[in-house]
Amino acid sequence: MLVLGVCSLKGGVGKTSVTLGLASAALERGLRTLVVDLDPQGDSTLALATAPAAGDVAGVLETPSADTLAAATSPSAWAEAGLDVLVGSAASARHDARDGDDLDRLRFALAWVHDYDLVLVDCPPSLGGLTRTGLTACDRAVVVTEPGLFSVTAVGRAMRTIDDLRRGPAAQLQPLGVVVNRVRARSVEQAFRLEELRGLYGPLVLTPFVPERAALQQAQGAAQPVHAWPGAGARELAGAFDDLLDRALRAPRT
Ligand SMILES: Nc1ncnc2c1ncn2[C@@H]1O[C@H](COP(=O)(O)OP(=O)(O)O)[C@@H](O)[C@H]1O
Ligand SMILES: [Mg+2]
């Protein structure tokens, strides 16, 4: 089982979109997948058309156990089987203030998870206790960014957080790299930022980039996986997520 975290300091750069795209690619490939919705906004729970559950991720973080985990896990309507969600909740926000010794609550809870090939952790837009708790449960993490000025500086802070965690509670955590999202082919400003990212992070800048395509928002709005959405834009997105999933599954584990 691979546990992959999707994080960024900033909101709106595409963490949830990348999580959903990877879940769609995993479903296509027949991998049994659990999406952990750590964002108090619950976007991935909504977009995955998750059936109502008795519990939620806040309950799991409060009392990590087999029971709270089972109560908070619910199937996504994207598929008949093979894709579940650890349901998000506004109440998880109170865990964002937590830090220090408490960061292994999700990792502890996931010790009861055995039926999945892949766990994707969709993090909130901060590098606070909630994201740190999420990353501490992960084997690998990607940092999502757009190719813009403020986003590029935010990548550095996310990378340093991953580094800190590796030297602390999450020795197993490896930074897989930077996923560059919403890339437009003909933007001069973006091309400049992409060069800047490559200069700073070299091979950690993952390819392919995720293009900006209306199909992504259309599929999300219809609560459908992008692999099931018609059109050239959706195919392009699906291909990018297939390659990124390959990359995540291929990277050597420590
Ligand atoms: N590659 C893309 N092409 C088009 N729209 C995108 C793309 N990536 C993200 N979006 C849109 O941008 C908004 C923010 O993305 P989201 O994944 O929710 O970001 P985050 O989870 O980081 O806050 C959403 O409405 C999403 O549909
Ligand atoms: Mg999100």
Side-chain angles (χ1 to χ4, degrees):
M1 187 173 89
L2 170 71
V3 187
L4 176 67
V6 181
C7 72
S8 77
L9 173 62
K10 285 168 66 77
V13 294
K15 289 175 293 301
T16 298
S17 298
V18 168
T19 304
L20 296 172
L22 292 173
S24 178
L27 193 59
E28 197 68 13
R29 204 169 298 200
L31 298 177
R32 297 163 304 168
T33 303
L34 175 70
V35 173
V36 177
D37 187 0
L38 261 196
D39 188 340
Q41 295 180 76
D43 293 343
S44 48
T45 301
L46 182 70
L48 285 159
T50 311
D56 59 39
V57 71
V60 173
L61 295 176
E62 206 58 56
T63 316
S65 72
D67 286 347
T68 54
L69 192 81
T73 304
S74 186
S76 158
W78 277 15
E80 274 170 28
L83 183 58
D84 290 341
V85 182
L86 195 56
V87 171
S89 154
S92 65
R94 67 172 173 268
H95 292 271
D96 210 35
R98 280 209 155 114
D99 217 332
D101 298 339
D102 249 358
L103 294 176
D104 52 7
R105 287 169 172 261
L106 183 64
R107 178 162 64 190
F108 191 64
L110 290 184
W112 279 285
V113 164
H114 302 294
D115 298 336
Y116 301 100
D117 305 304
L118 177 68
V119 178
L120 297 167
V121 182
D122 184 15
C123 291
S126 82
L127 298 172
L130 207 44
T131 291
R132 288 166 187 267
T133 299
L135 292 177
T136 298
C138 290
D139 306 305
R140 303 206 182 104
V142 293
V143 176
V144 181
T145 188
E146 294 176 347
L149 169 62
F150 302 131
S151 305
V152 170
T153 53
V155 170
R157 292 172 66 187
M159 285 296 192
R160 281 196 291 283
T161 298
I162 291 171
D163 255 14
D164 284 351
L165 290 169
R166 276 165 62 83
R167 278 185 266 107
Q172 82 291 344
L173 177 64
Q174 292 175 48
L176 186 67
V178 181
V179 173
V180 189
N181 183 34
R182 302 195 88 139
V183 172
R184 293 188 298 272
R186 276 180 288 275
S187 163
V188 175
E189 166 63 16
Q190 282 200 346
F192 178 79
R193 296 300 164 199
L194 286 168
E195 272 319 298
E196 190 177 33
L197 275 169
R198 283 218 177 87
L200 286 167
Y201 301 107
L204 279 177
V205 178
L206 299 173
T207 51
F209 303 142
V210 181
E212 178 158 76
R213 293 290 176 271
L216 194 84
Q217 287 170 31
Q218 292 161 357
Q220 285 171 2
Q224 291 288 321
V226 73
H227 285 70
W229 201 253
R235 271 199 303 281
E236 244 181 294
L237 290 159
F241 290 123
D242 286 338
D243 289 354
L244 290 170
L245 181 62
D246 271 339
R247 180 75 175 261
L249 295 171
R250 248 187 6 239
R253 288 213 233 168
T254 47

PDB file of all heavy atoms in Angstrom, residues 157-178:
ATOM      1  N   ARG A 157       8.412  26.705   0.727  1.00  0.00           N
ATOM      2  CA  ARG A 157       7.987  26.513   2.109  1.00  0.00           C
ATOM      3  C   ARG A 157       7.398  25.129   2.329  1.00  0.00           C
ATOM      4  O   ARG A 157       7.624  24.507   3.367  1.00  0.00           O
ATOM      5  CB  ARG A 157       7.005  27.616   2.499  1.00  0.00           C
ATOM      6  CG  ARG A 157       7.731  28.961   2.556  1.00  0.00           C
ATOM      7  CD  ARG A 157       6.816  30.120   2.739  1.00  0.00           C
ATOM      8  NE  ARG A 157       6.143  30.107   4.033  1.00  0.00           N
ATOM      9  CZ  ARG A 157       5.178  30.956   4.362  1.00  0.00           C
ATOM     10  NH1 ARG A 157       4.781  31.860   3.502  1.00  0.00           N
ATOM     11  NH2 ARG A 157       4.620  30.903   5.544  1.00  0.00           N
ATOM     12  N   ALA A 158       6.665  24.641   1.351  1.00  0.00           N
ATOM     13  CA  ALA A 158       6.111  23.284   1.474  1.00  0.00           C
ATOM     14  C   ALA A 158       7.238  22.252   1.486  1.00  0.00           C
ATOM     15  O   ALA A 158       7.216  21.290   2.269  1.00  0.00           O
ATOM     16  CB  ALA A 158       5.137  23.010   0.329  1.00  0.00           C
ATOM     17  N   MET A 159       8.244  22.439   0.638  1.00  0.00           N
ATOM     18  CA  MET A 159       9.375  21.506   0.598  1.00  0.00           C
ATOM     19  C   MET A 159      10.116  21.496   1.934  1.00  0.00           C
ATOM     20  O   MET A 159      10.551  20.450   2.408  1.00  0.00           O
ATOM     21  CB  MET A 159      10.343  21.897  -0.526  1.00  0.00           C
ATOM     22  CG  MET A 159       9.841  21.544  -1.908  1.00  0.00           C
ATOM     23  SD  MET A 159       9.692  19.753  -2.101  1.00  0.00           S
ATOM     24  CE  MET A 159       9.471  19.648  -3.857  1.00  0.00           C
ATOM     25  N   ARG A 160      10.255  22.679   2.541  1.00  0.00           N
ATOM     26  CA  ARG A 160      10.945  22.732   3.839  1.00  0.00           C
ATOM     27  C   ARG A 160      10.128  22.029   4.925  1.00  0.00           C
ATOM     28  O   ARG A 160      10.690  21.394   5.813  1.00  0.00           O
ATOM     29  CB  ARG A 160      11.236  24.183   4.221  1.00  0.00           C
ATOM     30  CG  ARG A 160      12.462  24.738   3.478  1.00  0.00           C
ATOM     31  CD  ARG A 160      12.996  25.990   4.113  1.00  0.00           C
ATOM     32  NE  ARG A 160      12.093  27.119   3.958  1.00  0.00           N
ATOM     33  CZ  ARG A 160      11.964  27.815   2.814  1.00  0.00           C
ATOM     34  NH1 ARG A 160      12.676  27.500   1.743  1.00  0.00           N
ATOM     35  NH2 ARG A 160      11.126  28.821   2.742  1.00  0.00           N
ATOM     36  N   THR A 161       8.800  22.136   4.834  1.00  0.00           N
ATOM     37  CA  THR A 161       7.949  21.424   5.800  1.00  0.00           C
ATOM     38  C   THR A 161       8.162  19.914   5.673  1.00  0.00           C
ATOM     39  O   THR A 161       8.277  19.202   6.677  1.00  0.00           O
ATOM     40  CB  THR A 161       6.464  21.782   5.546  1.00  0.00           C
ATOM     41  OG1 THR A 161       6.304  23.177   5.750  1.00  0.00           O
ATOM     42  CG2 THR A 161       5.540  21.022   6.485  1.00  0.00           C
ATOM     43  N   ILE A 162       8.222  19.427   4.430  1.00  0.00           N
ATOM     44  CA  ILE A 162       8.443  17.993   4.205  1.00  0.00           C
ATOM     45  C   ILE A 162       9.801  17.584   4.797  1.00  0.00           C
ATOM     46  O   ILE A 162       9.916  16.553   5.471  1.00  0.00           O
ATOM     47  CB  ILE A 162       8.357  17.664   2.700  1.00  0.00           C
ATOM     48  CG1 ILE A 162       6.907  17.830   2.224  1.00  0.00           C
ATOM     49  CG2 ILE A 162       8.865  16.248   2.414  1.00  0.00           C
ATOM     50  CD1 ILE A 162       6.725  17.739   0.724  1.00  0.00           C
ATOM     51  N   ASP A 163      10.794  18.415   4.570  1.00  0.00           N
ATOM     52  CA  ASP A 163      12.134  18.161   5.124  1.00  0.00           C
ATOM     53  C   ASP A 163      12.122  18.091   6.645  1.00  0.00           C
ATOM     54  O   ASP A 163      12.725  17.197   7.240  1.00  0.00           O
ATOM     55  CB  ASP A 163      13.070  19.297   4.711  1.00  0.00           C
ATOM     56  CG  ASP A 163      14.022  18.871   3.627  1.00  0.00           C
ATOM     57  OD1 ASP A 163      13.767  17.803   3.025  1.00  0.00           O
ATOM     58  OD2 ASP A 163      15.005  19.596   3.395  1.00  0.00           O
ATOM     59  N   ASP A 164      11.445  19.058   7.270  1.00  0.00           N
ATOM     60  CA  ASP A 164      11.327  19.078   8.743  1.00  0.00           C
ATOM     61  C   ASP A 164      10.696  17.793   9.239  1.00  0.00           C
ATOM     62  O   ASP A 164      11.154  17.198  10.214  1.00  0.00           O
ATOM     63  CB  ASP A 164      10.405  20.224   9.195  1.00  0.00           C
ATOM     64  CG  ASP A 164      11.104  21.564   9.106  1.00  0.00           C
ATOM     65  OD1 ASP A 164      12.326  21.578   8.866  1.00  0.00           O
ATOM     66  OD2 ASP A 164      10.405  22.586   9.261  1.00  0.00           O
ATOM     67  N   LEU A 165       9.622  17.373   8.565  1.00  0.00           N
ATOM     68  CA  LEU A 165       8.908  16.177   9.018  1.00  0.00           C
ATOM     69  C   LEU A 165       9.795  14.940   8.866  1.00  0.00           C
ATOM     70  O   LEU A 165       9.769  14.044   9.695  1.00  0.00           O
ATOM     71  CB  LEU A 165       7.601  16.006   8.236  1.00  0.00           C
ATOM     72  CG  LEU A 165       6.519  17.042   8.555  1.00  0.00           C
ATOM     73  CD1 LEU A 165       5.374  16.964   7.550  1.00  0.00           C
ATOM     74  CD2 LEU A 165       5.975  16.847   9.970  1.00  0.00           C
ATOM     75  N   ARG A 166      10.585  14.924   7.792  1.00  0.00           N
ATOM     76  CA  ARG A 166      11.501  13.779   7.588  1.00  0.00           C
ATOM     77  C   ARG A 166      12.509  13.682   8.722  1.00  0.00           C
ATOM     78  O   ARG A 166      12.923  12.590   9.111  1.00  0.00           O
ATOM     79  CB  ARG A 166      12.268  13.959   6.271  1.00  0.00           C
ATOM     80  CG  ARG A 166      11.506  13.481   5.061  1.00  0.00           C
ATOM     81  CD  ARG A 166      12.145  14.012   3.803  1.00  0.00           C
ATOM     82  NE  ARG A 166      13.505  13.568   3.603  1.00  0.00           N
ATOM     83  CZ  ARG A 166      13.844  12.398   3.065  1.00  0.00           C
ATOM     84  NH1 ARG A 166      12.910  11.555   2.698  1.00  0.00           N
ATOM     85  NH2 ARG A 166      15.104  12.084   2.897  1.00  0.00           N
ATOM     86  N   ARG A 167      12.915  14.815   9.223  1.00  0.00           N
ATOM     87  CA  ARG A 167      13.880  14.800  10.330  1.00  0.00           C
ATOM     88  C   ARG A 167      13.194  14.625  11.674  1.00  0.00           C
ATOM     89  O   ARG A 167      13.853  14.493  12.688  1.00  0.00           O
ATOM     90  CB  ARG A 167      14.729  16.078  10.301  1.00  0.00           C
ATOM     91  CG  ARG A 167      15.883  15.943   9.297  1.00  0.00           C
ATOM     92  CD  ARG A 167      16.822  17.113   9.304  1.00  0.00           C
ATOM     93  NE  ARG A 167      16.437  18.072   8.300  1.00  0.00           N
ATOM     94  CZ  ARG A 167      15.868  19.233   8.544  1.00  0.00           C
ATOM     95  NH1 ARG A 167      15.626  19.605   9.778  1.00  0.00           N
ATOM     96  NH2 ARG A 167      15.551  20.033   7.558  1.00  0.00           N
ATOM     97  N   GLY A 168      11.848  14.647  11.670  1.00  0.00           N
ATOM     98  CA  GLY A 168      11.084  14.463  12.901  1.00  0.00           C
ATOM     99  C   GLY A 168      10.240  13.201  12.862  1.00  0.00           C
ATOM    100  O   GLY A 168      10.776  12.105  12.753  1.00  0.00           O
ATOM    101  N   PRO A 169       8.908  13.366  12.871  1.00  0.00           N
ATOM    102  CA  PRO A 169       8.032  12.199  13.045  1.00  0.00           C
ATOM    103  C   PRO A 169       7.841  11.342  11.791  1.00  0.00           C
ATOM    104  O   PRO A 169       7.256  10.280  11.877  1.00  0.00           O
ATOM    105  CB  PRO A 169       6.690  12.836  13.441  1.00  0.00           C
ATOM    106  CG  PRO A 169       6.720  14.184  12.811  1.00  0.00           C
ATOM    107  CD  PRO A 169       8.152  14.630  12.840  1.00  0.00           C
ATOM    108  N   ALA A 170       8.338  11.778  10.635  1.00  0.00           N
ATOM    109  CA  ALA A 170       8.008  11.077   9.385  1.00  0.00           C
ATOM    110  C   ALA A 170       9.273  10.729   8.601  1.00  0.00           C
ATOM    111  O   ALA A 170       9.453  11.180   7.469  1.00  0.00           O
ATOM    112  CB  ALA A 170       7.065  11.928   8.545  1.00  0.00           C
ATOM    113  N   ALA A 171      10.128   9.897   9.186  1.00  0.00           N
ATOM    114  CA  ALA A 171      11.398   9.539   8.538  1.00  0.00           C
ATOM    115  C   ALA A 171      11.177   8.848   7.198  1.00  0.00           C
ATOM    116  O   ALA A 171      12.032   8.900   6.313  1.00  0.00           O
ATOM    117  CB  ALA A 171      12.210   8.642   9.468  1.00  0.00           C
ATOM    118  N   GLN A 172       9.994   8.223   7.014  1.00  0.00           N
ATOM    119  CA  GLN A 172       9.705   7.461   5.785  1.00  0.00           C
ATOM    120  C   GLN A 172       9.274   8.367   4.630  1.00  0.00           C
ATOM    121  O   GLN A 172       9.206   7.936   3.483  1.00  0.00           O
ATOM    122  CB  GLN A 172       8.613   6.424   6.066  1.00  0.00           C
ATOM    123  CG  GLN A 172       7.166   6.945   6.023  1.00  0.00           C
ATOM    124  CD  GLN A 172       6.809   7.910   7.170  1.00  0.00           C
ATOM    125  OE1 GLN A 172       7.518   7.987   8.173  1.00  0.00           O
ATOM    126  NE2 GLN A 172       5.726   8.647   7.017  1.00  0.00           N
ATOM    127  N   LEU A 173       8.954   9.603   4.927  1.00  0.00           N
ATOM    128  CA  LEU A 173       8.341  10.492   3.933  1.00  0.00           C
ATOM    129  C   LEU A 173       9.355  10.957   2.884  1.00  0.00           C
ATOM    130  O   LEU A 173      10.398  11.494   3.220  1.00  0.00           O
ATOM    131  CB  LEU A 173       7.750  11.713   4.659  1.00  0.00           C
ATOM    132  CG  LEU A 173       7.116  12.804   3.800  1.00  0.00           C
ATOM    133  CD1 LEU A 173       5.895  12.278   3.056  1.00  0.00           C
ATOM    134  CD2 LEU A 173       6.729  13.997   4.682  1.00  0.00           C
ATOM    135  N   GLN A 174       8.999  10.736   1.609  1.00  0.00           N
ATOM    136  CA  GLN A 174       9.870  11.207   0.523  1.00  0.00           C
ATOM    137  C   GLN A 174       9.147  12.234  -0.328  1.00  0.00           C
ATOM    138  O   GLN A 174       8.015  11.996  -0.730  1.00  0.00           O
ATOM    139  CB  GLN A 174      10.229  10.058  -0.407  1.00  0.00           C
ATOM    140  CG  GLN A 174      11.119   9.010   0.192  1.00  0.00           C
ATOM    141  CD  GLN A 174      11.299   7.880  -0.798  1.00  0.00           C
ATOM    142  OE1 GLN A 174      11.588   8.107  -1.957  1.00  0.00           O
ATOM    143  NE2 GLN A 174      11.085   6.672  -0.340  1.00  0.00           N
ATOM    144  N   PRO A 175       9.805  13.353  -0.626  1.00  0.00           N
ATOM    145  CA  PRO A 175       9.187  14.301  -1.552  1.00  0.00           C
ATOM    146  C   PRO A 175       9.304  13.760  -2.975  1.00  0.00           C
ATOM    147  O   PRO A 175      10.404  13.617  -3.497  1.00  0.00           O
ATOM    148  CB  PRO A 175      10.029  15.565  -1.375  1.00  0.00           C
ATOM    149  CG  PRO A 175      11.344  15.108  -0.841  1.00  0.00           C
ATOM    150  CD  PRO A 175      11.146  13.783  -0.171  1.00  0.00           C
ATOM    151  N   LEU A 176       8.152  13.406  -3.555  1.00  0.00           N
ATOM    152  CA  LEU A 176       8.186  12.878  -4.928  1.00  0.00           C
ATOM    153  C   LEU A 176       8.476  14.007  -5.909  1.00  0.00           C
ATOM    154  O   LEU A 176       9.161  13.802  -6.908  1.00  0.00           O
ATOM    155  CB  LEU A 176       6.836  12.237  -5.244  1.00  0.00           C
ATOM    156  CG  LEU A 176       6.720  11.504  -6.562  1.00  0.00           C
ATOM    157  CD1 LEU A 176       7.587  10.261  -6.561  1.00  0.00           C
ATOM    158  CD2 LEU A 176       5.270  11.119  -6.831  1.00  0.00           C
ATOM    159  N   GLY A 177       7.971  15.192  -5.609  1.00  0.00           N
ATOM    160  CA  GLY A 177       8.260  16.326  -6.473  1.00  0.00           C
ATOM    161  C   GLY A 177       7.131  17.332  -6.521  1.00  0.00           C
ATOM    162  O   GLY A 177       6.210  17.300  -5.711  1.00  0.00           O
ATOM    163  N   VAL A 178       7.248  18.212  -7.500  1.00  0.00           N
ATOM    164  CA  VAL A 178       6.318  19.324  -7.658  1.00  0.00           C
ATOM    165  C   VAL A 178       5.421  19.052  -8.867  1.00  0.00           C
ATOM    166  O   VAL A 178       5.919  18.845  -9.973  1.00  0.00           O
ATOM    167  CB  VAL A 178       7.085  20.642  -7.892  1.00  0.00           C
ATOM    168  CG1 VAL A 178       6.122  21.812  -8.030  1.00  0.00           C
ATOM    169  CG2 VAL A 178       8.093  20.893  -6.769  1.00  0.00           C
TER     170      VAL A 178
END
